Amino acid sequence: MLRTELLLQRLDEIGQSLERMGGALLLLGVGSVGAETERLDEYSDLDFFVIVKPGEKSRFIGRLDWLEGVHPLAYSFKNTDDGYKVLFEDGIFGEYAVFEEWELADAAYTEGRVIWKDPAYSNTAIAKPVNPNPQPQK
C-alpha cells in the first residue's frame, strides 16, 4: 500500500475509533489530508481536529486510548493545551487538536474535510472557517 493511501486509511480508522468511543462529534482532516489532498505525498503527515461534545475535551486530551486502539503509538508529545504530536509505531506522524465547537467560532484555520461525524451532528460548515488561515497547513 502506498504511504499516501495508508495516511488516508489511518484517518478513516481514527474516525471509526471515535465512533466506538463516543463523546466525539466530528473528525476534520486539515492540510494535505483535508481539503488539499492534491498536496498529499510520501512526506505528508496527519493533521486533524477532533470536535467533541461539551465536557469531553479533557478526556480526549488526557487519554490517548482512542488513538492507541487504531495503531500503537511509539511516541506522543503534548505540544499545546489542545493537542499532541504523535508518532505511530509504523512511522506515521500526526498532529492534532481537540476542540469543543464553540472554540472554533472565531478561530483561524485552513479549510478542512469531514472524515467522520456523529449521525446526530449536523454542523459540517465547521469545515469552512469564518477566519480562514492564509497559510496552508503542512
Side-chain angles (χ1 to χ4, degrees):
M1 176 181 294
L2 294 174
R3 179 170 173 79
T4 54
E5 292 171 348
L6 185 58
L7 287 169
L8 295 175
Q9 178 182 329
R10 181 66 47 85
L11 206 51
D12 287 339
E13 291 167 348
I14 291 169
Q16 293 166 10
S17 176
L18 291 171
E19 183 172 24
R20 285 190 302 272
M21 270 309 197
L25 297 171
L26 184 126
L27 174 62
L28 187 66
V30 294
S32 61
V33 295
E36 303 169 15
T37 55
E38 70 279 355
R39 293 192 308 114
L40 194 60
D41 62 25
E42 66 273 7
Y43 302 106
S44 295
D45 61 359
L46 295 178
D47 293 306
F48 59 95
F49 292 167
V50 179
I51 312 306
V52 297
K53 294 177 181 177
E56 295 286 335
K57 182 174 177 171
S58 63
R59 186 261 183 264
F60 282 91
I61 291 175
R63 294 178 49 201
L64 304 183
D65 55 338
W66 56 279
L67 284 174
E68 286 275 352
V70 171
H71 197 89
L73 292 173
Y75 180 78
S76 64
F77 174 77
K78 188 171 186 237
N79 65 328
T80 70
D81 289 339
D82 299 314
Y84 280 81
K85 291 186 182 207
V86 294
L87 179 64
F88 291 93
E89 284 185 355
D90 61 359
I92 290 180
F93 179 77
E95 184 171 6
Y96 72 90
V98 179
F99 301 104
E100 290 186 10
E101 181 180 3
W102 67 269
E103 293 179 282
L104 292 179
D106 295 320
Y109 55 97
T110 60
E111 182 177 348
R113 179 171 62 92
V114 175
I115 307 300
W116 168 86
K117 74 174 198 64
D118 182 301
Y121 186 67
S122 60
N123 186 10
T124 56
I126 204 163
K128 295 186 184 221
V130 174
N131 301 313
N133 183 347
Q135 304 272 329
Q137 297 279 332
K138 292 186 179 180

